[in-house]
Amino acid sequence: MTKYSKEWSGLSPEVRGVISQFQEEIPVKIGEVVKSFGVELKVSTLDIGISGMIFPSSDGHKIVINKHEPSYRQRFTLAHELAHFLLHRHLIGSGISDNILYRSKLSDLYEAEANRLASDILMPVEKVKELRAELAVERLADVVSPLAAKFGVSEEAMRIRLGMK
Ligand SMILES: [Zn+2]
């Protein structure tokens, strides 16, 4: 099991508090989390190869995610864009577009930060431990699929959360 990231620890207690409230319920209602920060959200058709974007709007920021991608993928993209908002707001400029590899005009270092925070938002460590214990399954490999389904994430994302790769 991986621990909370330094990105999560670096958020203000207020911001962590807001997110934590939504983490009481699994799967985390990530759309509600985004809206609670005053960010507009739209699920729409984007150019092929673009998973999501965040850009300034008339009264704050807006996130658009690609409706043609699977729902677990849309959820991760949403959390990833929210992470850019929370961590890299000063770098958004006229907007950030993330391709399917979560690469954008920002450096890969920032993209890795956004991915780690997205994982912490969607898969809070304590809840993963709790639900894993409830499964009463011995082998780590056997918990990946049921846990991914419960948290609404890809098996790959869950594997990373569990420290398997
Ligand atoms: Zn990104």
Side-chain angles (χ1 to χ4, degrees), residues 1-164:
M1 178 78 67
T2 52
K3 296 201 172 80
Y4 278 110
S5 65
K6 61 182 190 302
E7 288 73 28
W8 172 264
S9 309
L11 296 174
S12 72
E14 291 76 19
V15 168
R16 282 204 306 269
V18 168
I19 297 171
S20 298
Q21 286 181 344
F22 288 100
Q23 292 175 325
E24 295 296 316
E25 198 185 332
I26 301 297
V28 173
K29 291 198 171 86
I30 184 64
E32 299 301 315
V33 182
V34 166
K35 288 178 200 160
S36 78
F37 285 103
V39 176
E40 273 182 87
L41 165 61
K42 193 175 175 197
V43 182
S44 182
T45 296
L46 292 177
D47 287 347
I48 290 175
I50 299 296
S51 290
M53 46 210 289
I54 180 163
F55 49 88
S57 65
S58 50
D59 43 24
H61 285 83
K62 185 170 186 174
I63 291 173
V64 182
I65 55 172
N66 194 334
K67 74 171 184 184
H68 301 289
E69 295 188 338
S71 73
Y72 65 81
R73 171 81 194 176
Q74 291 182 23
R75 288 171 51 73
F76 198 89
T77 300
L78 201 38
H80 177 100
E81 299 305 331
L82 177 63
H84 279 318
F85 175 77
L86 295 173
L87 300 171
H88 310 130
R89 206 171 311 171
H90 57 297
L91 300 172
I92 291 175
S94 60
I96 298 172
S97 291
D98 276 291
N99 72 13
I100 51 171
L101 298 173
Y102 296 121
R103 296 219 171 98
S104 73
K105 69 176 187 186
L106 301 183
S107 75
D108 288 350
L109 187 82
Y110 291 124
E111 294 306 332
E113 289 180 358
N115 283 336
R116 284 193 293 267
L117 184 56
S119 295
D120 285 340
I121 293 172
L122 293 175
M123 297 170 280
V125 172
E126 294 306 320
K127 283 284 180 189
V128 173
K129 279 184 189 159
E130 193 183 310
L131 295 186
R132 189 194 160 184
E134 281 174 15
L135 285 175
V137 174
E138 203 66 25
R139 287 178 57 225
L140 191 55
D142 295 332
V143 303
V144 174
S145 175
L147 282 184
K150 277 183 200 291
F151 284 82
V153 300
S154 68
E155 293 191 8
E156 193 197 359
M158 183 53 72
R159 240 176 252 122
I160 293 170
R161 168 87 300 177
L162 293 168
M164 293 174 71

